Structure formats: C-alpha cells, structure tokens
Amino acid sequence: MSYKFLDHSTDAIIEINAKDLKEAFSTAADAVINLTLDQDKVEEIETKEFVSQGKDLYYLLFSWLEEIPFILITEGFAIKRLEFDIEKNETYKIQAKAFGENLDLKKHNFKVEIKAPTFYEMIIKNEDTVYMKFLLDL
C-alpha cells in the first residue's frame, strides 16, 4: 500500500498502488487527510459515520474524495483513522466510521483546503492489484 504526490503546479495529483479495492480507498483517504493536516497529531476521541455511493468505481471514488474533505473542512472533524466496507449491488456503496476529534488548526497543522475532486485524468485499474490516480483541485 502506497501513495505518492505527482508534480503539478496548482493542484494535487495522487497515485496509489494497493493490493485490493479496500486498501486503495483507505490509502486514498489517508492521502487526502495528510494533504490537509497532520494525521498523526489527531486523537481518537469521537466518531462520525458517513456514506459514499457511486454508480461505478469512478463515481464511488469521486464521492469518497468529496466526503473526506467535507468532514475535515466543512464539519471541522479531524480524522485519525477510518473503518469501512465497500458493498457492490447494482451500485457501489461505502459505509464508513471516522475516528478523530474536532479540528484544531494549530494542533493538527492545517495545511491546505481541498476545493473538489475531479474526474480529469482519473484512472482506476482493478486487476491483480489496484492502481488509482486522481486530481484534487486545491
């Protein structure tokens, strides 16, 4: 499981390699959280539940990448870790529980605000391993 930030002048491009979809989505969340704040400074004091849904994996990833910054920035909840399951029926759905605390800009070293994920250059290859690449508008 790994992620890296690719060079871009104004936005964040993140590339992920993982053993399966769950690990890839977990890694994507960690990348977004660490882009926004110092995850290692967050304590697990409270929980917050949320859902992401999509008609396919691209829309599910987009929804996931919208929901994490919404919780971090709009709701002001710093995330330490996530527990979740990915369900596939006619559509994809993630039911998640975030563990963390109220966001403290100084304590958590708030870095950058993510405006939105994009579909631009989004790639998901779900084969023997999972490869993802996506762009976040900062």
Side-chain angles (χ1 to χ4, degrees):
M1 158 174 76
S2 68
Y3 69 87
K4 66 180 177 179
F5 294 100
L6 304 178
D7 287 337
H8 194 280
S9 59
T10 58
D11 297 322
I13 300 175
I14 300 170
E15 186 177 67
I16 294 170
N17 289 290
K19 67 179 181 188
D20 57 30
L21 277 177
K22 186 168 182 176
E23 185 178 84
F25 275 81
S26 178
T27 304
D30 285 344
V32 169
I33 294 165
N34 284 297
L35 180 65
T36 308
L37 53 84
D38 287 338
Q39 191 174 19
D40 60 335
K41 294 182 179 179
V42 180
E43 297 178 60
E44 292 185 25
I45 297 172
E46 301 174 45
T47 62
K48 186 173 287 282
E49 294 186 15
F50 65 97
V51 174
S52 291
Q53 299 181 74
K55 66 180 183 180
D56 60 25
L57 285 175
Y58 287 86
Y59 280 88
L60 182 66
L61 179 59
F62 186 90
S63 174
W64 185 244
L65 296 173
E66 273 188 322
E67 198 63 37
I68 305 285
F70 180 81
I71 291 167
L72 291 168
I73 297 163
T74 306
E75 294 187 354
F77 187 77
I79 300 170
K80 176 72 171 184
R81 71 179 173 93
L82 293 161
E83 289 181 359
F84 65 93
D85 288 308
I86 301 174
E87 302 169 17
K88 182 182 186 254
N89 294 309
E90 292 176 16
T91 62
Y92 285 89
K93 182 177 181 179
I94 296 176
Q95 299 225 5
K97 182 185 281 190
F99 297 81
E101 63 182 320
N102 288 331
L103 178 63
D104 179 324
L105 299 178
K106 289 182 182 176
K107 175 183 176 183
H108 301 125
N109 190 30
F110 186 81
K111 300 173 188 173
V112 66
E113 183 174 344
I114 298 168
K115 293 179 191 171
T118 71
F119 283 104
Y120 180 71
E121 293 189 11
M122 184 184 284
I123 298 170
I124 301 173
K125 293 181 184 175
N126 184 15
E127 296 162 358
D128 293 338
T129 60
V130 177
Y131 171 83
M132 288 181 173
K133 184 173 106 175
F134 54 86
L135 184 141
L136 299 171
D137 182 19
L138 303 180

